[in-house]
Structures are given as structure tokens and as C-alpha cells.
Amino acid sequence: MDFTITEREAYWRDRVRKFMQEHVYPAEEAYHKEMDVVGKERWKVSQVLEDLKARAKAEGLWNLFLPPSEHDEDEYRGAGLTNLQYALCAEEMGRVSFASEVFNCSAPDTGNMEVLHRYGTRAQKDRWLKPLMNGEIRSVFLMTEPGVASSDATNIETSIVRDGDHYVINGRKWWSSGLGDPRCKIGILMGKTDPNAPRHKQQSQILVPMDTPGIEIVRMLPVFGYDDAPHGHAEVIFNNVRVPAENLILGEGRGFEIAQGRLGPGRIHHCMRTIGVAEVALEKMVKRLKSRVAFGKTVAEHSVWEQRVAEARIDIEMARLLCLKAADMMDKVGNKAAALEIAMIKVAAPRVALKVIDDAIQAHGGGGVTTDFGLAFRWAHIRTLRLADGPDEVHNRTIARMEFARHSNAG
């Protein structure tokens, strides 16, 4: 087993790291100042972010998440990084909340672009994938519903009914991330085209332009009090929403198949960035511990903190190695064969990061729970990852069943 970083992996990681140091970190204060407004003014396009995107695109640090393919049309080629190569870059991006968008690598656009890239028709790619890859528009993935346990995707109730040359959509979705952004122009919606079909053939996915009549945004959902503007997470109603039949992706009854293909890479992208979040939290914790004095010595010199810092470093290193192993397996044997590793890192990465962030909050005392140090926001964001793209319980179920199967012939 070789843990050496290859020349190509180091090349892309170092380019992203250098860009972060020279442009993204210095822009953090300006970005937060720009967004430090209230009400409707928060749901706007950030000029600071747009300027950074233009610079990153000009430098070729763009669409890094799209894996290489021999059959890509030239206009739909990304940087061609493997999952393993991208993992090192994504960790760097995870250190700043908005950085992944700078490189056009932020969810849910990445997953939606992968769906269009893998399953879309040429017309669908020309209409929607091209502007997404250019960073001109943003998108939303419409899957989770408030009325059912959406961790089981077969529960989804939103209906997609054929009516001549159109499909008519009726239902209610929530946690529709990205819908608050004024640039959000297209959604990929999952619903049922045939509730009487076999369980995993009932669902379909369809492209829904977000200016289609009958779409009502009910509210933007807060995450532990944060609105996540301008990205946001919407509850939205679809009331007799008519979209052309050619907007259906891949065909009726293929929705569950598409979802499985979409979520594998997306799950691990979250984990890659989460390692970066944990690293930032540990840095903040150590700096705080070394700068404060209590009971005659720095807080860092108290043994309880030595224990916590050591455990944080151990946990981060273990999580990183598992994340890299999962990415490497996805590249070498495919997402299906890497299902166990994907499930394990999806559970492990957020748990590790939450523990490190929580200790960092404790190290900052009362300041840790304010907005002053960015730790409370990071905790709120990472806590959602124990639910997003499948809750821990679903992934643990997968892990356990695979373990039971492995020992099924044991005495």
C-alpha cells in the first residue's frame, strides 16, 4: 500500500492551496461584510464571490470534481481529476464555507451536473449543463419531503403524471438547498410516475425550470438559526406544474437508479470538505489554548486539553485516510464496489468534525457559541451532514448488513 502523493495529486492540491492563500482567505472578511445585511437584502449574488470565481476560472481551477471520461464532448469536460485527486483539493476548499463555489465545485450543483453529464440527453446538456459548468446559473435538487421518511426514497409521494407532451407535477418538497439563490434556474425533481410499479421502479427524475408556473416557495428553513443565505434551504410546493416530456431524465422508472448514481460521489465530496473544516477547528482551538492564561499557566498546559488536542489529531488523520481510501476505491473498482467505504466515511467524517468543533467551542469559552469565531456556524453546518445524503442510521444499516453477509457462513 503506497501512501505517497503523486506528482499530479500534489500539483492540483498545491494550486488550490495557493489560490486559497492568495485570494480566498484575504476575501473572507469582505464576503462576510457584504453578507452582513438583514431581510431580503441577504438573498443576493455576492460580488466578492463572483470576482473570485472569474479569477479561478481564468486560472483553470474550475469544475475540478468532474472525473475524466474518454467520451466527453469537449465543451463538457471538467478538469479530469479522479476522486482521489479531487479529495485533496476538496479538503482545502472545505476550510472556508464559500470556497467550493469559487471553483464551481459546490453542492447541489456538482451532483446535478454529474446527473446531466452521465444521464442527460444532448439537448438537456446544451440547455442546462453548459450554463452550470460555466458558473452562470445555479440549481437545486428536489428530493426530501416533509410528509414522509425520506431516508427511504421509495416513500416519496410527489407525483409526476404524463399528460400529452408534458408531465404534471404535484407535491411538497423541503430542504431544497440552493433555491434561495437568485441564480437558481433549474431543479432536478424526484417523484413517482407509477406508484403501482415494483418498489424501485416507481420513481423518476425530471428537470424543472424554477420559473415554471405553479411553483410556490413557502419559506426558507433555518439551520440552528442560520439562514444560509444566499444559498438557503427551501420548503416548496408544486401545484400542477407542467414541464415538457423531454425534460424527463433517462426514462420513467429510472429515478432510484439515478439517485444512487448521484449520491455516491456527493456523499464523499461532503466528507472531503469536512476534513478541512475539522482542521480549521483544530487550528483555532490550539491558537486559543496557547493564547489564554488560567490558574497561572496557559490553558494549553492543562492536561485535559493535551488529551483533547491529541485525540483531535488522531481522529482527523483516521478520517482522512478512510476518505482517501474510499475515493481511491471509487476510482479503481467503482462506486458500487466501494459502497462499504463510502458508507463508513459518511458516518465517520461528520462525527469526527463535530467532536473537534465542539472541543474548539469549549476552548473559546463563551466566545465559542457566538458568531465571532465561526465555530458555531461550522457546528451547525456539519451537524446537518449526519442527515444529508442519508442519515447515519441508513449508512450504519448498510455497513452492518455487509458485515453480517461477510460472516454468514461462520460457525
Side-chain angles (χ1 to χ4, degrees), residues 188-262:
I188 295 180
L189 179 140
M190 185 160 170
K192 286 187 177 178
T193 43
D194 185 359
N196 298 315
R199 187 180 178 202
H200 292 94
K201 299 294 183 181
Q202 299 176 5
Q203 304 83 14
S204 300
Q205 292 197 23
I206 193 165
L207 289 157
V208 183
M210 297 316 295
D211 59 357
T212 306
I215 298 176
E216 177 193 353
I217 297 178
V218 178
R219 56 174 175 155
M220 302 307 296
L221 299 162
V223 180
F224 291 104
Y226 294 97
D227 62 10
D228 284 352
H231 188 65
H233 317 278
E235 181 176 357
V236 55
I237 293 174
F238 295 83
N239 184 19
N240 291 322
V241 175
R242 298 178 66 87
V243 297
E246 59 264 28
N247 283 24
L248 196 72
I249 301 173
L250 205 57
E252 287 193 14
R254 308 289 295 275
F256 194 85
E257 172 189 347
I258 296 169
Q260 291 301 103
R262 179 189 194 277

Side-chain angles (χ1 to χ4, degrees), residues 133-383:
M133 289 188 67
N134 288 335
E136 298 165 358
I137 66 172
R138 297 214 62 187
S139 62
V140 59
F141 185 54
L142 302 147
M143 183 173 179
T144 308
E145 298 180 2
V148 297
S150 301
S151 57
D152 178 356
T154 62
N155 284 337
I156 286 172
E157 294 179 341
T158 294
S159 65
I160 306 173
V161 178
R162 184 72 181 253
D163 182 21
D165 294 333
H166 290 78
Y167 281 97
V168 180
I169 302 168
N170 283 281
R172 181 186 292 259
K173 299 288 186 179
W174 73 344
W175 296 113
S176 304
S177 299
L179 197 49
D181 195 311
R183 298 163 298 174
C184 184
K185 303 300 182 184
I186 186 66
I188 295 180
L189 179 140
M190 185 160 170
K192 286 187 177 178
T193 43
D194 185 359
N196 298 315
R199 187 180 178 202
H200 292 94
K201 299 294 183 181
Q202 299 176 5
Q203 304 83 14
S204 300
Q205 292 197 23
I206 193 165
L207 289 157
V208 183
M210 297 316 295
D211 59 357
T212 306
I215 298 176
E216 177 193 353
I217 297 178
V218 178
R219 56 174 175 155
M220 302 307 296
L221 299 162
V223 180
F224 291 104
Y226 294 97
D227 62 10
D228 284 352
H231 188 65
H233 317 278
E235 181 176 357
V236 55
I237 293 174
F238 295 83
N239 184 19
N240 291 322
V241 175
R242 298 178 66 87
V243 297
E246 59 264 28
N247 283 24
L248 196 72
I249 301 173
L250 205 57
E252 287 193 14
R254 308 289 295 275
F256 194 85
E257 172 189 347
I258 296 169
Q260 291 301 103
R262 179 189 194 277
L263 291 174
R267 284 169 180 152
I268 196 167
H269 291 173
H270 280 313
C271 298
M272 296 167 182
R273 290 188 292 267
T274 298
I275 304 300
V277 176
E279 285 284 8
V280 170
L282 179 54
E283 289 176 18
K284 288 178 177 288
M285 175 166 47
V286 169
K287 289 177 180 178
R288 183 73 170 189
L289 294 173
K290 293 176 69 176
S291 69
R292 291 297 172 106
V293 175
F295 306 106
K297 56 184 179 181
T298 63
V299 180
E301 294 176 276
H302 293 271
S303 61
V304 66
W305 285 106
E306 292 176 343
Q307 183 76 15
R308 290 170 182 170
V309 169
E311 289 179 355
R313 172 49 62 205
I314 292 167
D315 289 345
I316 291 172
E317 293 301 320
M318 288 193 297
R320 177 184 288 111
L321 287 173
L322 180 55
C323 188
L324 294 177
K325 180 189 178 186
D328 190 45
M329 287 190 65
M330 290 167 70
D331 293 332
K332 291 177 177 176
V333 297
N335 297 352
K336 186 174 182 179
L340 175 62
E341 283 71 20
I342 293 172
M344 289 193 296
I345 191 56
K346 179 58 176 65
V347 173
R351 286 188 178 182
V352 165
L354 285 170
K355 178 65 168 63
V356 177
I357 296 168
D358 189 65
D359 284 343
I361 289 172
Q362 194 72 11
H364 283 73
V369 297
T370 70
T371 57
D372 292 6
F373 298 97
L375 292 168
F377 173 77
R378 285 179 171 88
W379 192 94
H381 171 66
I382 297 299
R383 182 60 183 82

Side-chain angles (χ1 to χ4, degrees), residues 71-106:
H71 307 293
D72 291 352
E73 303 91 339
D74 287 342
E75 63 265 46
Y76 299 125
R77 285 185 180 271
L81 273 63
T82 65
N83 286 294
L84 182 58
Q85 292 161 357
Y86 179 64
L88 300 172
C89 299
E91 178 182 333
E92 298 296 324
M93 297 177 200
R95 297 173 66 90
V96 175
S97 62
F98 59 84
S100 59
E101 187 179 347
V102 170
F103 305 96
N104 211 41
C105 292
S106 56

